[in-house]
Amino acid sequence: MMSTLTSRRPRPPAQPATLRARRLPAYAAPVIAVAALLLAAGLVYGFAVGGPVLVVVVGALFYLAGLFVAANAVEGRRSARNRTWSALIHSAFVLAVLPLASVVWTLVSKGAERLDGNFFGTSMNNIGSRDANGGAYHAIVGTLQQVGIATLITVPLGVLCAIYIVEYGRGRFAFTIRFFVDVMTGIPSIVTGLFVLAFWVLIVSPWFNDGRPGFSGFAAALALSVLMLPTVVRSTEEMLRLVPAPLREGAYALGVPKWKTILRVVLPTALPGIVTGIMLAIARAAGETAPVLLVAGGGAAINFNPFENNQSSLALFVYQQAGEASRYSPARAWTAALTLVVLVLVLTVAAKLLARRNQLGR
């Protein structure tokens, strides 16, 4: 009986010869890339129509075409399209990174010449065109003071404005505030400098300066705060909107007042994202030149008082040194630019690290 049942059991289907699809070997892509570059170099230099940049562009096109043909012949059309689009995405990433890498290499190679104690410990006061010394100490002091004052002005105002828009604002007034914040986001920095020049330097400052208009680092901080404000407001607003509604409702159910709910529940939950937006605004303000040039005037001497006399900044120092007719000025300009980029880079990296701590989106 068992033998009869066993004989009637259907046999399993025959297995295919192989379960693996045909794929290009690992060395195929590098070989195609080298062949594409050689072919592009032969065409470009053979017809004398361009240089290395054109060779890379034409070689990238040949590489995409060759990769598609090879993958289509071996793996099929679907896999060929997938490989081609993947290669296109990677090529776009490389093209996006190349300018950044070029900027970093140029700054480090040319800015390292004046990375010494004299550059960071002296100013340009009484430095002539034939003097190899002189540094950016006065500009570093100006940048730190101006950005610091602008942060003290902007952060409380921007955070409170965002809290009003999200938690209290209703109707046309809140819509009007949001609209003007969006408009301020696109205002050029030169316009903010002109605004502070016309309002503070020419109208307000004469009241405290015996009737004479006065340039100062505080005026530059006011202009920078106008530039920082929309970034702080918009980033804080978006972070507050990401706070889950059940957190607020739970606090209200326990009888907690609204202001205390905002202070103890909403703000601590959104704090990492808020700090990220603030630091990005600070990074933008540190690199502005036009407002400082218009309302602070620049200067070669060290000025620790941001409320009186001219004051410089790193961005303005770079602009001034780049235009000086001295063979020592370019080195000072490149080193100041490197210092400014490192400062902004530190702020940006810190903002990214804080953003990773934000668990609201997970």
Side-chain angles (χ1 to χ4, degrees), residues 20 79 240:
R20 294 185 177 182
S79 180
L240 293 178

Side-chain angles (χ1 to χ4, degrees), residues 25-355:
Y27 59 84
V31 169
I32 295 174
V34 172
L37 286 176
L38 293 177
L39 179 60
L43 292 176
V44 171
Y45 290 114
F47 291 98
V49 293
V53 176
L54 186 60
V55 170
V56 173
V57 174
V58 176
L61 296 177
F62 286 161
Y63 169 73
L64 293 176
L67 183 63
F68 178 81
V69 172
N72 186 42
V74 177
E75 301 177 349
R77 181 172 295 273
R78 182 177 180 179
S79 180
R81 288 197 298 265
N82 179 64
R83 279 185 175 271
T84 303
W85 280 107
S86 298
L88 186 61
I89 293 173
H90 293 139
S91 301
F93 169 75
V94 172
L95 291 177
V97 170
L98 282 178
L100 177 60
S102 176
V103 169
V104 172
W105 171 255
T106 304
L107 283 175
V108 173
S109 60
K110 295 187 176 182
E113 181 177 350
R114 284 300 314 275
L115 286 177
D116 49 38
N118 181 267
F119 180 83
F120 293 102
T122 60
S123 67
M124 291 299 296
N125 197 24
N126 298 324
I127 299 296
S129 59
R130 296 184 178 182
D131 195 339
N133 294 320
Y137 180 67
H138 63 299
I140 297 174
V141 170
T143 296
L144 294 177
Q145 289 186 348
Q146 293 163 18
V147 175
I149 295 174
T151 303
L152 293 177
I153 296 173
T154 306
V155 171
L157 184 60
V159 172
L160 291 176
C161 181
I163 290 175
Y164 172 78
I165 293 174
V166 176
E167 303 293 339
Y168 296 96
R170 299 292 184 274
R172 292 185 177 180
F173 185 65
F175 174 79
T176 303
I177 294 177
R178 190 179 297 108
F179 172 76
F180 279 107
V181 169
D182 293 337
V183 171
M184 289 176 60
T185 305
I187 293 180
S189 59
I190 189 71
V191 176
T192 62
L194 290 173
F195 168 73
V196 175
L197 176 67
F199 172 69
W200 180 265
V201 176
L202 300 180
I203 297 178
V204 178
S205 65
W207 295 355
F208 310 97
N209 198 28
D210 298 329
R212 296 174 300 173
F215 295 97
S216 64
F218 180 73
L222 291 178
L224 296 179
S225 66
V226 175
L227 294 173
M228 294 171 59
L229 184 61
T231 303
V232 175
V233 173
R234 292 298 292 169
S235 60
T236 304
E237 179 186 354
E238 294 301 324
M239 290 301 104
L240 293 178
R241 292 187 187 278
L242 288 177
V243 177
L247 293 179
R248 297 181 176 89
E249 295 170 356
Y252 298 152
L254 294 174
V256 181
K258 187 171 185 177
W259 68 269
K260 188 173 291 186
T261 300
I262 296 172
L263 186 63
R264 298 293 182 86
V265 177
V266 177
L267 285 179
T269 306
L271 185 60
I274 295 174
V275 174
T276 300
I278 292 172
M279 297 182 70
L280 293 177
I282 292 174
R284 181 197 173 185
E288 292 292 343
T289 304
V292 182
L293 178 63
L294 285 175
V295 300
I302 301 172
N303 180 17
F304 290 101
N305 187 358
F307 300 98
E308 292 182 1
N309 300 324
N310 293 12
Q311 196 175 59
S312 185
S313 68
L314 280 172
L316 183 58
F317 181 80
V318 173
Y319 170 76
Q320 292 172 340
Q321 291 298 311
E324 289 286 337
S326 172
R327 65 189 184 95
Y328 302 108
S329 296
R332 289 192 287 261
W334 281 112
T335 306
L338 177 61
T339 305
L340 180 59
V341 169
V342 169
L343 177 62
V344 174
L345 179 63
V346 169
L347 294 175
T348 304
V349 171
K352 294 297 183 181
L353 294 177
L354 288 173

